[in-house]
Amino acid sequence: MSELTVKSSPAWFKQSLRLLHHEFRRGELTIIFLAIVLAVGTVFSLTGFTEQIKQAIMSNSANTIAADRVFGANRKIPVEFLEKSEDLSLKLASKILIDSMVFAGDNMLLSELDAVSDSYPLRGKFMGKTSLSQTPVSIETIKRGTAWVEESVLARLDVKIGGTVEVGVLPLTIAGVITEIPDRSYRMFVAGPAIFLNIEDIADTDLIQPGSRVYYQYLFAGEQDNVETFEKWLKPQLNDTQNWYDAKSAQSRLSNVLDRSEKFLSLASMLGIVLAAVAVAVASRRYGQRHQPMVAVFKALGASKSHVQKLYMLHWGLLSLISICVGLVVGYLLMLVGVSAIENYLSLDESQLSFNPFFTAIITGVLCAVAFAIHPITELISTKPLDVIRGFSQNVLPKFGWHQLIPLLALFALLMLFSRDLMMSLSLLLGGILVSVILLFLGRLIMGAGRTAGSKAGKSWHLALANLKRRANENSVQLVSFTIAIQLLLLITVMKSSIIEEWQSQFPENTPNHYLLNITADEVQPLKAFAEELNIDNQGFYSIFLGRLSAINNEKTISIEDDSANNERDTADKDENKEEKPKGRKGAGRELSLTWQSQLPIENEIVEGKWWQEHDDTPQVSMESGMAERLEVKLGDKLTFTIGSDEFTVPVTSIRDVNWKSRQLNFIMIFNQTAIKNIESTSISAWMVPDEKKKQVYRFLSDYPTISIMDFGSIMKQLMNMIDQVSIAIELILVLVILAGSLVLVAQVQASMEERERELAILRTLGAKGSLLRNSVLFEFIALGGVAGLMASIAMEIAVYFLQTQVFEMTASFHFSYWLVGIGAGAAFVGIMGMLSCWRLLNLSSVTLIRRTM
Amino acid sequence: MVCLDMLLANDEEEVVVNVIKLKNIKIKMGCLFMKSDSEIILKISALTKSVQLEDKTLELLQPIDLTVNSGETLAIVGSSGSGKTTLLSILAGLDLPTSGEVYLKNHPLHQFNEEQRSQVRANHVGFIFQQFLLISSLTALENVMLPAELANLPDAKELGLALLEQVGLAERAEHYPSQLSGGEQQRVAIARAFITKPDVLFADEPTGNLDTKTGIHIADLLFELNEKLDTTLILVTHDPKLAMRCQRQVEMDSGVLQEKYTQTKSTNEFIADMKVG
Ligand SMILES: Nc1ncnc2c1ncn2[C@@H]1O[C@H](COP(=O)(O)OP(=O)(O)OP(=O)(O)O)[C@@H](O)[C@H]1O
Ligand SMILES: [Mg+2]
């Protein structure tokens, strides 16, 4: 009977495929399928997404600095530096960078002007095209009187190639569109699109005035030895406003900028991955339990162990394979969504997607499928045929043993794989275990207390809480996952809104919405008159000049690590400085915008000393309190400032608190007039221009083309737009986390389904009414969700505190309103999901129920 | 003593068995000759089963001897908890005895490991359970085909369809167990049990979960197929009527097995029946 040969494929193969087919159709594999899809999709999309960003930044064109070394400063380079470089026969190119408004007809645009010498670039490709359809060619020189622009300039100014842009007072003909900038790394987070012009033209624009924000770059290239000699010679002579870059330091500067946002993204997504992994673990345990009777029957009918083994290996393998493939597709689509959100800010090259996201995601899928399933499936395969007679051990809580180590190790490997950060992975894992243990303990405590309370709260509640208590073991597991899910959701929501809030709080209503920069001395009077005529609220005109705090009490200052220096260009070289560890006083680390005033500006408050009398002839300075504290400057200390080639020393006669959150013009150092008598400066003013007067103001200002206008309204709009789009990326992760959380929940409910079925059957037979049963199930879930929400809120608060203070360097805040959200949403969500999953069960007639469970 | 009784009974039945086999045109050469012991399909001797509880040992089965001949129908009756299911699971090779010997088709099950016993089950044994135990995510037909596939029979599908036809469920072949009534599920289970033409069929309370009428119908089907395919049937039941339909009854009482009743009149009647058929 048995020796007959098999026609085609072996029986286990056919049976396995058949099972897979039917179970997929009947939705029995949906949860485990979704869990793996989610894990793979999450990892793929996030890895791909961050990789795309990194690639945009670190790509070859961004790596180069168009030279071997670059000197950068707010002032021109000392002549001896240039002489030395000539001695070493280094090639030189120079570049001047200015943020400025440019005009074309009625349109204006904040752009970054790059005025370059003919020798630019020394390294890398500078490419462009003279008609939009042409293939890009190398731009050799920029002819005087012409400009090369980034493509977005054309649309935003509504001009064509061959048209005219006004840069300062100088009209320039647009010669073509730039397609590749060799030192693009500088261009990553700038005010606007680039406009390149010849450096000889810059003087004619009238944009460079004393006090203007101008950045000079000198690019050097040559024989490596010579470059290194030059570097050795030059570096010790740099002061703290002069920067020196090579390709590597330019890169690390950029990655520093990205670090913060990346930390947030990867933290959130790691938590998402943990949840997805938990869902896989729960679902595969259920998978094992659900298949137990099947295996027992198979074995009773004579299937050998190897038959069952092969059958399930194939079944699980195919299931994982399908899930992983779908996960890759889903992940790819999600990545596209994320990428499209930030496309406007970074030029991404999708074709460059590397093998890495695929690799990471596939490994994730395999790891999840193997590590979390190996125990349930080995248990499943070793099911005894006798079980068909003696019944199945349902919902036995996993005992502690070696097999528990495997999922933990896998989780750790997953986190490592994703983050490549040992500390972060380890602390997340250990923290997670610790938190779980605490939650388990707390949860039991709360559920125990709840039962006593529930006994006074009516039959349904009584039954619900008794059930909760009875299923304490299993519920604790559910509780931990609900708690983690809810906590993550809260955490991300709170963090997101607090980041956005912090941004928004910097732009309150009814404060100046326009800054006017670069106002020359002759222009101040007509502007004042105009502002008065139109009744425009302004904070007066401040003269402004850039200067360096070079000594405190005659002790030279050195630049130290300076977190508050927002100006990226100034912070690049800190590594080098750290290495050398020069001795001296802590300095400001950058050039400061200085001004003089006779009156104390509004939103300023003297905390020490006294503001000067209007006609006090002794030179003196008032210093902002935060900076004073940081530099350990006290009242009466003598500060030496270097402005260009001038140097002067003044005593500190007052220390002020400044409200930095206001959009007033704020200054760290304010002199009295006698202190800065002979220093050339331009002025700056902050205007509150109502919308209806905007046109008039712009028309008037177009007569003064060298004045830069910063319209905060539109910058704000741009910024909000950017936040919106960036938060799409964050929301993407939020959605993934919510999905993973719900999946954990559904998987958990499903896992407890058989037991619930049995209990309901018993209660029904004992005569319990349908409404009582429904309510008790509902209340059980509500109580579970509520408790999870409460614990999640507490956990969230702790986590937010650490994140805000340790990771994001923000001020800590508390969020009691989110507690209500957490508890309410937890109760509602778990209640609804639980009811939905049990709905079918609750509506079964008692006869069916009893029959099904016997 | 019990053994002697059984041997006496066996001789008479041998005839019946062989005649039925002829009827099915399933000729076994050995059957043409009168052989008194070649057709012993199941033989146990001095079989005991005990389980170790925390504080004491529970003797589930006292030493039991039993021989079952090919084609025989045997009912095991007895009060609840007396050890019927325990005995059945050992006979079927699902469980191992604590001591004693079990031979099924001359295979020493008591010496076999799980794998070897699986092999024996696949080739010689069929099952019908009280809880039907169909696989919920396979269709009726696929459930029926299962043992045939496990025994590597060709044409599993055709065999399955034919058997479903015989139990009157041809139209429900593509339905899942959850779409079938209890009686229909048990009919599928019966079809499944017979598909490999097993040498021995074990049934534990096959009608226990069904109402009386359906129970009778299922029993009819069971005996009809049993007769047609010439299977040895070992049946555990509480139902005296069902037990009466078997040629032989043994009773379990607190782990002790006793011969209760053996049908003797049957030979002539069977031959008469046969002529009608
Ligand atoms: N693994 C075991 N551990 C402890 N006791 C067991 C075990 N297996 C069976 N028993 C006990 O052995 C006795 C016989 O069980 P068995 O299932 O064989 O009874 P049964 O005759 O089939 O009863 P019923 O007619 O109710 O099905 C029962 O008292 C049962 O509780
Ligand atoms: Mg029994």
Side-chain angles (χ1 to χ4, degrees):
Chain A
M1 192 143 54
S2 65
E3 269 70 48
L4 290 158
T5 45
V6 197
K7 265 192 314 196
S8 48
S9 35
W12 59 267
F13 186 81
K14 279 188 284 186
Q15 287 166 349
S16 184
L17 292 188
R18 200 183 292 148
L19 262 182
L20 191 69
H21 174 73
H22 288 309
E23 291 192 331
F24 252 119
R25 258 202 9 216
R26 291 160 56 87
E28 275 159 352
L29 300 175
T30 312
I31 302 279
I32 185 82
F33 168 76
L34 286 180
I36 298 178
V37 166
L38 197 68
V40 173
T42 307
V43 169
F44 185 93
S45 58
L46 296 172
T47 317
F49 182 66
T50 35
E51 191 194 74
Q52 292 267 292
I53 295 179
K54 274 201 188 132
Q55 236 168 32
I57 292 160
M58 305 297 178
S59 68
N60 285 336
S61 62
N63 268 344
T64 69
I65 49 176
D68 295 335
R69 298 290 188 278
V70 174
F71 171 93
N74 288 325
R75 299 185 182 281
K76 287 190 173 160
I77 193 169
V79 199
E80 26 337 333
F81 289 8
L82 292 181
E83 284 166 355
K84 179 75 181 179
S85 84
E86 239 165 81
D87 289 349
L88 289 164
S89 58
L90 298 181
K91 281 186 281 179
L92 170 76
S94 37
K95 191 172 185 182
I96 296 175
L97 297 137
I98 307 172
D99 289 341
S100 174
M101 283 296 186
V102 295
F103 302 85
D106 279 348
N107 301 312
M108 51 185 214
L109 170 71
L110 185 60
S111 69
E112 190 179 74
L113 300 177
D114 292 55
V116 293
S117 64
D118 290 348
S119 48
Y120 174 89
L122 301 178
R123 296 273 188 258
K125 280 187 264 177
F126 183 35
M127 308 281 283
K129 48 192 182 181
T130 50
S131 78
L132 290 179
S133 52
Q134 194 195 353
T135 47
V137 292
S138 172
I139 305 169
E140 298 303 332
T141 58
I142 296 176
K143 290 201 185 69
R144 291 203 56 177
T146 67
W148 286 75
V149 301
E150 279 190 306
E151 194 167 336
S152 65
V153 171
L154 298 183
R156 289 166 75 175
L157 284 179
D158 194 22
V159 285
K160 294 196 167 58
I161 294 174
T164 305
V165 283
E166 281 170 51
V167 177
V169 295
L170 183 71
L172 294 172
T173 308
I174 298 174
V177 166
I178 304 165
T179 55
E180 190 174 335
I181 300 171
D183 45 355
R184 201 177 60 158
S185 60
Y186 294 112
R187 304 216 41 79
M188 208 57 76
F189 300 96
V190 289
I195 295 182
F196 274 71
L197 60 153
N198 194 300
I199 202 162
E200 308 283 331
D201 280 337
I202 200 75
D204 298 343
T205 62
D206 274 0
L207 285 173
I208 303 184
Q209 304 283 344
S212 324
R213 275 265 175 196
V214 178
Y215 197 71
Y216 296 88
Q217 283 188 343
Y218 297 86
L219 290 69
F220 299 97
E223 301 267 325
Q224 196 183 337
D225 287 351
N226 294 345
V227 171
E228 275 164 17
T229 316
F230 184 50
E231 186 169 58
K232 266 202 200 102
W233 174 84
L234 178 138
K235 261 179 128 177
Q237 307 186 50
L238 292 173
N239 68 31
D240 57 5
T241 66
Q242 296 168 329
N243 296 305
W244 184 250
Y245 322 108
D246 53 21
K248 231 170 71 193
S249 61
Q251 212 180 56
S252 69
R253 174 174 58 95
L254 277 164
S255 42
N256 282 344
V257 173
L258 269 188
D259 249 15
R260 214 193 237 200
S261 48
E262 215 195 305
K263 256 188 215 161
F264 177 79
L265 282 181
S266 71
L267 187 69
S269 37
M270 279 164 86
L271 295 172
I273 291 165
V274 170
L275 274 185
V278 169
V280 174
V282 173
S284 55
R285 222 184 108 210
R286 152 124 179 115
Y287 171 94
Q289 282 175 354
R290 204 173 50 77
H291 281 254
Q292 252 182 17
M294 223 175 278
V295 173
V297 170
F298 263 92
K299 285 196 170 173
L301 295 180
S304 65
K305 188 166 181 177
S306 79
H307 179 98
V308 175
Q309 227 158 23
K310 282 186 258 177
L311 192 155
Y312 275 96
M313 226 98 103
L314 183 67
H315 189 264
W316 184 258
L318 281 178
L319 173 61
S320 310
L321 187 71
I322 295 170
S323 313
I324 289 173
C325 290
V326 174
L328 288 179
V329 173
V330 168
Y332 187 75
L333 294 178
L334 284 175
M335 185 198 74
L336 290 188
V337 173
V339 163
S340 72
I342 53 154
E343 224 162 25
N344 295 342
Y345 306 101
L346 294 171
S347 55
L348 300 172
D349 189 357
E350 274 158 52
S351 63
Q352 286 203 338
L353 191 61
S354 78
F355 187 64
N356 187 42
F358 290 95
F359 174 77
T360 317
I362 290 173
I363 296 276
T364 303
V366 171
L367 215 58
C368 277
V370 172
F372 295 116
I374 192 160
H375 181 62
I377 289 188
T378 44
E379 291 251 286
L380 173 66
I381 288 172
S382 59
T383 304
K384 296 236 156 25
L386 191 60
D387 288 356
V388 291
I389 281 162
R390 289 289 167 224
F392 307 96
S393 45
Q394 289 283 346
N395 291 318
V396 189
L397 251 208
K399 286 186 214 77
F400 287 94
W402 62 270
H403 54 84
Q404 303 233 297
L405 227 54
I406 292 181
L408 281 183
L409 282 177
L411 204 57
F412 179 68
L414 264 182
L415 294 179
M416 271 304 285
L417 184 74
F418 184 79
S419 70
R420 321 250 152 131
D421 183 341
L422 181 70
M423 274 317 288
M424 201 158 159
S425 308
L426 208 61
S427 47
L428 206 63
L429 192 74
L430 293 180
I433 294 173
L434 190 72
V435 167
S436 304
V437 170
I438 294 173
L439 287 184
L440 273 172
F441 179 73
L442 261 183
R444 289 209 177 178
L445 226 64
I446 296 177
M447 283 191 288
R451 192 185 177 183
T452 338
S455 57
K456 293 166 193 131
K459 247 188 192 170
S460 298
W461 272 108
H462 183 67
L463 198 55
L465 292 167
N467 273 341
L468 257 189
K469 175 86 185 186
R470 197 160 33 78
R471 267 198 281 273
N473 271 331
E474 189 192 327
N475 276 331
S476 312
V477 178
Q478 295 194 8
L479 198 63
V480 171
S481 21
F482 291 159
T483 302
I484 292 175
I486 298 170
Q487 186 218 347
L488 289 184
L489 297 183
L490 282 178
L491 188 63
I492 290 177
T493 324
V494 169
M495 284 313 290
K496 187 186 148 192
S497 63
S498 74
I499 287 173
I500 290 180
E501 250 166 46
E502 198 168 87
W503 284 43
Q504 272 175 335
S505 69
Q506 291 164 10
F507 307 102
E509 295 288 310
N510 289 322
T511 46
N513 54 7
H514 285 71
Y515 282 177
L516 277 58
L517 308 163
N518 236 8
I519 308 167
T520 59
D522 335 334
E523 290 165 340
V524 172
Q525 268 322 308
L527 281 179
K528 259 188 185 158
F530 174 74
E532 241 156 67
E533 185 191 316
L534 276 189
N535 205 7
I536 286 171
D537 193 8
N538 70 69
Q539 310 292 318
F541 289 71
Y542 293 74
S543 21
I544 182 167
F545 37 91
L546 295 175
R548 216 156 56 77
L549 173 64
S550 48
I552 300 170
N553 293 336
N554 291 324
E555 214 180 317
K556 271 201 141 214
T557 60
I558 46 124
S559 107
I560 44 111
E561 200 150 349
D562 180 4
D563 302 330
S564 71
N566 299 321
N567 193 333
E568 294 141 34
R569 284 167 190 152
D570 294 339
T571 55
D573 236 4
K574 52 190 173 191
D575 287 355
E576 267 85 344
N577 285 326
K578 240 197 291 185
E579 278 165 29
E580 288 161 25
K581 284 219 172 90
K583 289 205 175 88
R585 277 295 289 254
K586 241 193 232 179
R590 60 185 160 114
E591 291 217 301
L592 300 169
S593 294
L594 309 172
T595 190
W596 68 268
Q597 282 295 299
S598 47
Q599 303 286 328
L600 180 67
I602 57 164
E603 306 264 6
N604 280 234
E605 196 185 327
I606 302 286
V607 290
E608 261 183 89
K610 256 167 58 186
W611 189 256
W612 44 77
Q613 301 293 306
E614 198 148 343
H615 299 290
D616 194 338
D617 274 350
T618 38
Q620 42 194 295
V621 66
S622 170
M623 192 171 181
E624 187 263 336
S625 56
M627 180 69 102
E629 201 173 299
R630 225 153 50 78
L631 304 189
E632 293 158 19
V633 170
K634 282 176 222 48
L635 218 56
D637 282 355
K638 291 195 169 59
L639 306 185
T640 306
F641 291 90
T642 312
I643 300 175
S645 50
D646 293 340
E647 206 174 78
F648 60 92
T649 303
V650 284
V652 178
T653 57
S654 64
I655 288 175
R656 285 166 297 128
D657 268 350
V658 170
N659 177 8
W660 288 107
K661 292 224 161 125
S662 81
R663 223 188 306 151
Q664 310 300 328
L665 291 166
N666 290 318
F667 293 90
I668 288 173
M669 302 287 185
I670 303 180
F671 299 93
N672 64 351
Q673 195 174 3
T674 34
I676 43 100
K677 236 178 253 151
N678 304 314
I679 289 164
E680 275 190 88
S681 66
T682 52
S683 293
I684 177 170
S685 187
W687 289 17
M688 169 69 221
V689 182
D691 277 351
E692 65 274 14
K693 290 179 187 163
K694 237 177 174 173
K695 263 218 168 108
Q696 259 173 299
V697 171
Y698 287 173
R699 201 166 303 138
F700 176 77
L701 287 176
S702 64
D703 291 343
Y704 300 90
T706 59
I707 296 177
S708 284
I709 313 156
M710 281 172 75
D711 174 1
F712 266 89
S714 59
I715 290 178
M716 178 71 188
K717 247 180 240 155
Q718 256 182 38
L719 214 60
M720 286 315 293
N721 199 3
M722 191 168 110
I723 295 177
D724 275 355
Q725 288 187 291
V726 169
S727 42
I728 289 181
I730 296 175
E731 270 152 20
L732 188 80
I733 295 169
L734 192 69
V735 168
L736 288 175
V737 173
I738 292 177
L739 277 180
S742 322
L743 211 57
V744 171
L745 199 161
V746 175
Q748 294 271 25
V749 171
Q750 287 238 323
S752 66
M753 207 58 122
E754 270 102 36
E755 202 200 317
R756 283 176 196 285
E757 224 168 280
R758 218 168 310 137
E759 279 173 18
L760 281 180
I762 294 163
L763 286 171
R764 274 281 173 120
T765 6
L766 295 179
K769 267 191 292 185
S771 64
L772 173 70
L773 292 180
R774 246 193 301 279
N775 286 343
S776 80
V777 170
L778 179 64
F779 292 161
E780 188 187 336
F781 281 116
I782 286 181
L784 194 63
V787 172
L790 173 68
M791 300 201 316
S793 304
I794 300 170
M796 172 274 292
E797 207 62 79
I798 297 168
V800 167
Y801 176 80
F802 276 105
L803 282 180
Q804 282 183 331
T805 55
Q806 306 299 313
V807 182
F808 294 102
E809 292 150 19
M810 299 178 356
T811 42
S813 50
F814 283 90
H815 316 84
F816 289 110
S817 58
Y818 282 99
W819 285 50
L820 296 180
V821 176
I823 297 170
F829 184 70
V830 178
I832 290 171
M833 292 300 282
M835 279 312 268
L836 282 181
S837 342
C838 286
W839 194 250
R840 193 182 45 79
L841 203 66
L842 288 170
N843 285 318
L844 289 177
S845 75
S846 38
V847 182
T848 340
L849 258 179
I850 292 158
R851 257 219 339 235
R852 278 163 59 120
T853 49
M854 289 308 255
Chain B
M1 212 177 82
V2 174
C3 275
L4 202 76
D5 271 0
M6 276 186 231
L7 280 173
L8 284 174
N10 287 343
D11 280 337
E12 195 172 5
E13 296 215 354
E14 199 69 68
V15 182
V16 180
V17 166
N18 290 333
V19 172
I20 292 170
K21 279 191 175 167
L22 277 169
K23 175 188 169 191
N24 287 319
I25 321 170
K26 186 179 172 188
I27 303 168
K28 287 188 181 175
M29 287 308 289
C31 299
L32 294 174
F33 308 96
M34 293 292 281
K35 275 174 81 186
S36 59
D37 60 357
S38 66
E39 288 301 306
I40 292 177
I41 197 145
L42 190 66
K43 182 174 162 61
I44 56 178
S45 49
L47 182 136
T48 69
K49 178 75 180 175
S50 52
V51 287
Q52 192 64 47
L53 296 184
E54 270 160 40
D55 44 350
K56 57 174 179 180
T57 317
L58 202 62
E59 304 286 341
L60 303 184
L61 300 178
Q62 306 300 331
I64 290 177
D65 298 293
L66 177 71
T67 310
V68 180
N69 287 329
S70 181
E72 205 174 7
T73 52
L74 172 77
I76 304 175
V77 295
S79 58
S80 180
S82 57
K84 304 183 294 290
T85 302
T86 309
L87 176 64
L88 190 79
S89 46
I90 294 172
L91 295 183
L94 290 173
D95 205 358
L96 283 174
T98 308
S99 68
E101 298 176 340
V102 191
Y103 292 93
L104 196 151
K105 265 275 182 176
N106 290 328
H107 295 293
L109 291 186
H110 54 282
Q111 290 170 355
F112 278 12
N113 63 20
E114 188 75 62
E115 286 301 290
Q116 293 165 312
R117 282 182 278 135
S118 282
Q119 194 62 41
V120 173
R121 281 200 298 277
N123 294 330
H124 306 290
V125 173
F127 278 109
I128 298 170
F129 305 101
Q130 181 174 4
Q131 317 88 320
F132 321 142
L133 289 177
L134 298 177
I135 289 173
S136 59
S137 40
L138 293 179
T139 61
L141 175 61
E142 286 162 353
N143 267 291
V144 175
M145 285 157 62
L146 205 62
E149 288 175 340
L150 290 175
N152 283 329
L153 296 186
D155 310 324
K157 193 165 181 181
E158 288 72 17
L159 282 173
L161 277 171
L163 267 162
L164 276 177
E165 178 88 53
Q166 292 193 54
V167 298
L169 285 175
E171 273 98 78
R172 314 295 297 269
E174 295 305 318
H175 287 191
Y176 291 102
S178 57
Q179 296 166 305
L180 303 173
S181 76
E184 286 163 343
Q185 289 187 42
Q186 194 61 305
R187 271 144 75 192
V188 174
I190 288 172
R192 177 176 70 181
F194 280 104
I195 192 167
T196 51
K197 301 195 173 71
D199 297 300
V200 194
L201 183 64
F202 293 97
D204 192 357
E205 304 277 9
T207 58
N209 259 345
L210 303 168
D211 60 82
T212 326
K213 218 174 124 193
T214 318
I216 291 170
H217 181 59
I218 292 293
D220 287 344
L221 204 58
L222 183 59
F223 281 98
E224 184 191 317
L225 276 171
N226 184 58
E227 197 177 310
K228 249 191 214 169
L229 299 177
D230 183 29
T231 314
T232 310
L233 178 66
I234 297 179
L235 186 85
V236 168
T237 184
H238 274 128
D239 182 0
K241 280 192 196 132
L242 187 61
M244 280 304 287
R245 297 178 72 163
C246 294
Q247 299 157 358
R248 191 174 152 205
Q249 286 183 37
V250 289
E251 184 169 11
M252 272 303 259
D253 185 12
S254 309
V256 180
L257 189 80
Q258 274 189 331
E259 197 77 17
K260 192 183 174 199
Y261 168 83
T262 307
Q263 222 164 26
T264 44
K265 49 148 189 179
S266 54
T267 314
N268 293 330
E269 277 179 27
F270 269 103
I271 292 169
D273 277 354
M274 206 178 67
K275 279 174 184 159
V276 175

